[in-house]
Amino acid sequence: MEVKLDLSSKPLFFGLAWNSVCPLVIRLKKFYAFSLKLEEALQSLLESLTCPPYTPTQHLEREQALAKQFAEILHFTLRFDELKMRIPAIQNDFSYYRRTISRNRLNNMNLDIENEVNNEMANRMSLFYAEATPMLKTLSTATTNFVTENKTLPLENTTDCLSTMASVCKVMLETPEYTSRFNSEDTLLFCMRVMVGVIILYDHVHPNGAFNKSSKIDMKGCIKVLKDQPADNVEGLLNALKFTTKHLNDESTPKNIRTMLQ
C-alpha cells in the first residue's frame, strides 16, 4: 500500500508553531531581565546586612524588613527553578526560535520579534536557560562576586549572615510551637526554600563549603527537617542540595550527610 504525504499544510504548521512560540520567548526574556535585577538587588541587600559595625545577627535583628526581602528573593528563586526543571519544553521552544531567526538571517529576512529578542539577546538567554537552575545560578554568582569585590569586608560577615538565616529557618521548621502558628502550607514551603537557598549560597562562598564538619550550618539537622516533610514538597529542594551545591562530593563531607541526600 502506497502512502502519500500531503506537504501542503507544512507552511501552516510552521506558522502556527511560530505564532505559539513568539509570546513564550517574550515571556522568557522578561524573566531573564528580572534575573539581572535580582542579581543587583541581592548584592545591595548583602551589603546592607553585612557592613560594619554590626554583626550579621545584629543586622538581621535591626533590619528585619531587608532580611524579609532577602528571603523573598530566595523563595522566588527556588520556586522558579523548581518549575523550570519540570518544563523541558522551555529549552526546546527556545531552540526552535533561535534556529528560525538564524535561518531567516541567512535569507536576509528580518522578523518583527527580533526587535525584542535579537540574536545577541537570544544567545545570552540561551546560556541562562541552559542551566538546570538558572535563577539559583545567578544568585550564587552574584554572592560570589560580592565576596570577591569586597575584599576589605571579612568573609565571615557574609557567611555568618547566611548561616544565621539557615539556623533560624531550621529552628522554625523543627519546632512545633512555631510550625503550629503557620497559617498555611505555603509558609512552611517559604521557610524550606529560604533555608535551602542560603545553604547553597553559603556553600558557594565558603572555602570549605556547607557540608564540612567545621561548617556553621547544621546540615544534618537541615536535611532532616526537609525529609520529615511530604516527599512531593521537598523533592525539588533536595535535588537542589544535591546538584547545585559546590562541596557535597568533597572528601571532607561526612558520609552520613552524603547518605542522607542519596
Side-chain angles (χ1 to χ4, degrees), residues 4-234:
K4 293 184 178 180
L5 296 178
D6 179 12
L7 299 179
S8 61
S9 61
K10 188 175 180 182
L12 175 62
F13 171 78
F14 283 112
L16 291 172
W18 179 252
N19 289 338
S20 298
V21 162
C22 286
L24 298 177
V25 170
I26 298 297
R27 190 179 303 174
L28 291 176
K29 181 191 175 185
K30 289 178 180 177
F31 280 117
Y32 169 70
F34 189 58
S35 76
L36 301 179
K37 292 181 180 179
L38 285 185
E39 184 176 2
E40 291 179 13
L42 184 82
Q43 291 185 321
S44 178
L45 287 168
L46 281 172
E47 185 176 352
S48 298
L49 293 170
T50 59
C51 63
Y54 303 112
T55 65
T57 302
Q58 289 171 328
H59 273 300
L60 293 173
E61 290 173 348
R62 290 169 58 89
E63 286 117 27
Q64 292 186 21
L66 294 181
K68 178 69 161 45
Q69 286 303 309
F70 190 10
E72 291 281 4
I73 288 175
L74 291 169
H75 173 250
F76 167 80
T77 295
L78 270 293
R79 179 64 178 139
F80 178 91
D81 286 347
E82 283 173 21
L83 292 172
K84 188 264 180 185
M85 284 194 286
R86 295 177 190 171
I87 311 175
I90 287 176
Q91 285 168 273
N92 295 334
D93 290 347
F94 198 66
S95 294
Y96 168 72
Y97 173 81
R98 293 182 70 206
R99 287 196 306 272
T100 303
I101 62 172
S102 294
R103 185 168 60 247
N104 287 337
R105 197 166 58 252
L106 290 174
N107 295 329
N108 294 319
M109 292 173 62
N110 188 43
L111 301 170
D112 289 342
I113 193 173
E114 290 191 68
N115 297 325
E116 287 275 354
V117 183
N118 59 24
N119 192 55
E120 183 184 349
M121 173 60 72
N123 288 338
R124 292 203 298 268
M125 289 169 61
S126 180
L127 290 173
F128 176 74
Y129 286 106
E131 296 288 343
T133 53
M135 289 287 180
L136 204 48
K137 171 69 173 178
T138 297
L139 296 196
S140 298
T141 302
T143 307
T144 302
N145 289 343
F146 172 79
V147 169
T148 304
E149 292 164 7
N150 291 273
K151 297 185 184 300
T152 58
L153 183 72
L155 175 63
E156 291 74 22
N157 286 31
T158 303
T159 55
D160 284 357
C161 173
L162 298 172
S163 62
T164 300
M165 289 183 69
S167 297
V168 169
C169 291
K170 181 182 80 76
V171 169
M172 290 179 70
L173 288 165
E174 69 185 2
T175 308
E177 182 184 347
Y178 293 131
T179 54
S180 63
R181 298 178 193 171
F182 291 170
N183 296 325
S184 67
E185 189 180 74
D186 289 344
T187 309
L188 196 69
L189 290 169
F190 180 91
C191 281
M192 290 192 292
R193 288 184 183 123
V194 173
M195 182 181 74
V196 170
V198 290
I199 288 171
I200 291 168
L201 297 186
Y202 181 103
D203 192 63
H204 275 264
V205 298
H206 195 287
N208 298 324
F211 302 96
N212 192 282
K213 287 182 179 179
S214 63
S215 170
K216 291 188 177 181
I217 297 177
D218 174 12
M219 285 305 305
K220 184 177 179 181
C222 290
I223 297 170
K224 184 179 182 304
V225 296
L226 290 175
K227 291 209 152 191
D228 285 343
Q229 306 301 321
D232 289 346
N233 287 350
V234 297

